[in-house]
């Protein structure tokens, strides 16, 4: 059974710092991996999707990497801003199950 | 405006009552999903549907029911059999195997 773990559960950094969020998964037979952002009391916003054949994806200050063989993904946020404060969730999609399996998220606070 | 909408934003349920959460999308997506989110537990899949008139149970389907009579709509009913319904409910849609787009959520509270 696929399990997705995110470390750390919470992170507080000063504005301007570069930071890395981690995601690990137990079954490497995934179709893709996605990173989402969730603001308090809101729905999820898709940030980046990495197909299983890809190593990384970039969007603005965000860069996500995928190492399928080791079951790991990282989300790198450059020059963090207070507006980046949110919960970040990773999720893996396995073709056999047709389901997204979510991690429990990392709560990020960027201090001005 | 393309997107996915959920209503109501807040819903209150009395003991023994069935309540229905609405989810509508105009993205022409084939697949739709319902998730439940509890603090510290991430999102768990309740039901999903990949085509009209067909749906499958997710990981925590007990106490819930769905229908998919139209491509655009995937309502979720929380029945009286669901003993702990207080949670944040999220609906999503996608083309099969592609990025899921989420609605704004419905918070269900028990009176």
């Amino acid at each position: 059974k696929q399990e997705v773990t995110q470390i750390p559960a919470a992170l507080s950094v000063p504005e301007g710092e570069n930071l890395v969020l981690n995601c690990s998964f137990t079954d490497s037979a995934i179709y893709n991996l996605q990173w989402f952002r969730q603001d308090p009391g809101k729905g999820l916003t898709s940030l980046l999707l990495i197909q299983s054949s890809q190593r990384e994806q970039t969007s603005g200050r965000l860069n996500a990497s995928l190492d399928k063989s080791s079951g790991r993904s990282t989300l790198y946020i450059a020059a963090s801003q207070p507006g980046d404060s949110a919960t970040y969730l990773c999720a893996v999609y396995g073709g056999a199950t047709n389901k997204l399996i979510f991690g429990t998220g990392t709560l990020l606070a960027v201090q001005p | 405006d393309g997107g996915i909408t959920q209503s109501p934003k807040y819903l209150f349920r009395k003991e023994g009552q069935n309540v229905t959460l609405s989810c509508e999308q105009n993205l022409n997506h084939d697949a739709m999903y319902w998730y439940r989110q509890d603090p510290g537990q991430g999102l768990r899949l309740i039901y999903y549907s990949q085509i009209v008139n067909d749906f499958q149970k997710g990981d925590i389907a007990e106490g819930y029911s769905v229908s998919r009579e139209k491509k655009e709509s995937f309502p979720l009913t929380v029945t009286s059999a669901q003993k702990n319904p207080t949670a944040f409910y999220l609906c999503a849609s996608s083309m099969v195997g592609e990025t899921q787009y989420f609605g704004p959520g419905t918070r269900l509270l028990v009176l």
Side-chain angles (χ1 to χ4, degrees), chain B residues 1 9 14 32 35 44 47 67 102 105:
Chain B
D1 247 347
K9 186 173 182 179
K14 294 180 182 178
M32 297 187 74
Y35 294 91
R44 293 181 289 170
Y47 268 99
S67 62
F102 283 78

Side-chain angles (χ1 to χ4, degrees), chain A residues 15 37 39 61 80-86 88 108 110-111:
Chain A
E15 183 176 2
R37 169 185 172 138
D39 293 293
R61 294 181 295 106
S80 59
Q81 304 170 357
D84 295 330
S85 298
Y88 290 81
L108 173 65
V110 180
Q111 308 298 332

